[in-house]
């Protein structure tokens, strides 16, 4: 499981209490969204060369990271790649709340990219039961592939935390839906191995079953 991602588009710096825009100088949309980057190619090479290793990646939570209101101050990258004060936000910069907002290695082809949905307490019975969480990033990729590859519960999930050996807290995000998918995937692998003398499925087979 990989519950982390590339900063793209808008980001709020909690330490310095200001909004930052990570698009290139002069751009109004961050090219990293939907982009098959060098990092994505490296992840695909790792998966190709380790055919029993299924990489499970959170899609990101960019849809509710929308930047400051128009006319409010923000920072952005200059030509040297340094964040500098950029004055007040103009009207033309993207809000990160539309399609094609999964950045870089979430776009890799050989991985499972996971979005977040609300829980379904009564169990699934029809497509309308599945409601995407308002923060979960949408695809597709720039080259037209469907992303995320699948979705899982990512809203108000009880999760273990690092403050002590028996500490728990409730969190929301694709960083919750991704580990749930990874754990469920390994349960399938464990069951398969019990039926096949300890052997595991290739990751491509497991990915196909999950989808």
């Amino acid at each position: 499981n990989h519950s982390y991602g590339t900063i793209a588009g808008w980001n709020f710096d909690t330490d310095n209490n200001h909004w930052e825009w990570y698009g290139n100088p002069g751009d109004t949309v961050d090219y990293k969204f939907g982009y098959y980057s060098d990092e994505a190619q490296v992840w695909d090479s790792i998966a190709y060369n380790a055919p029993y290793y299924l990489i499970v990646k959170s899609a990101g939570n960019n849809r509710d990271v929308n930047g400051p209101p128009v006319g409010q101050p923000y920072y952005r990258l200059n030509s040297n790649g340094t964040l500098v004060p950029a004055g007040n936000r103009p009207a033309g910069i993207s809000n990160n709340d539309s399609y094609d907002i999964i950045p870089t290695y979430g776009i890799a082809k050989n991985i499972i990219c996971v979005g977040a949905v609300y829980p379904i307490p009564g169990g699934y019975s029809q497509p309308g039961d599945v409601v995407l969480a308002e923060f979960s990033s949408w695809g597709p990729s720039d080259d037209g592939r469907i992303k995320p590859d699948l979705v899982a519960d990512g809203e108000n999930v009880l999760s273990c935390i690092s403050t002590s050996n028996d500490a728990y807290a409730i969190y929301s995000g694709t960083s919750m839906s991704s580990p749930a998918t990874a754990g469920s995937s390994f349960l399938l692998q464990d069951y398969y191995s019990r039926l096949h003398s300890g052997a595991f499925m290739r990751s491509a087979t497991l990915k196909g079953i999950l989808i």
Side-chain angles (χ1 to χ4, degrees), residues 19-160:
W19 281 101
E20 301 167 342
W21 168 252
Y22 278 81
N24 282 341
D27 287 354
T28 57
V29 176
D30 192 337
Y31 80 92
K32 292 188 289 294
F33 286 132
Y35 176 63
Y36 189 80
S37 63
D38 290 343
E39 292 90 348
Q41 193 277 325
V42 168
W43 281 41
D44 276 341
S45 294
I46 292 169
Y48 180 82
N49 287 292
Y52 293 91
Y53 172 45
L54 180 60
I55 298 169
V56 181
K57 168 77 177 67
S58 56
N61 310 313
N62 293 98
R63 268 177 55 224
D64 66 353
V65 184
N66 307 130
V70 172
Q72 294 300 305
Y74 76 110
Y75 282 62
R76 72 176 300 159
L77 298 172
N78 64 15
S79 58
N80 296 319
T82 303
L83 284 166
V84 296
N88 294 330
R89 177 184 176 176
I93 299 179
S94 169
N95 286 327
N96 290 7
D97 61 354
S98 188
Y99 296 101
D100 190 8
I101 53 169
I102 298 175
T104 62
Y105 39 83
I107 297 299
K109 301 172 183 179
N110 297 332
I111 72 169
I112 287 279
C113 178
V114 184
V117 295
Y118 289 100
I120 310 174
Y124 175 90
S125 60
Q126 58 185 355
D129 296 334
V130 183
V131 179
L132 194 70
E134 73 279 353
F135 52 79
S136 186
S137 291
W138 283 329
S141 65
D142 286 351
D143 56 15
R145 287 175 290 115
I146 294 173
K147 288 285 179 177
D149 298 293
L150 49 82
V151 293
D153 182 7
E155 183 74 21
N156 294 328
V157 177
L158 183 66
S159 177
C160 51

Side-chain angles (χ1 to χ4, degrees), residues 156-179:
N156 294 328
V157 177
L158 183 66
S159 177
C160 51
I161 58 175
S162 62
T163 53
S164 72
N165 289 338
D166 58 356
Y168 291 85
I170 293 175
Y171 290 106
S172 296
T174 58
S175 291
M176 298 292 101
S177 55
S178 179

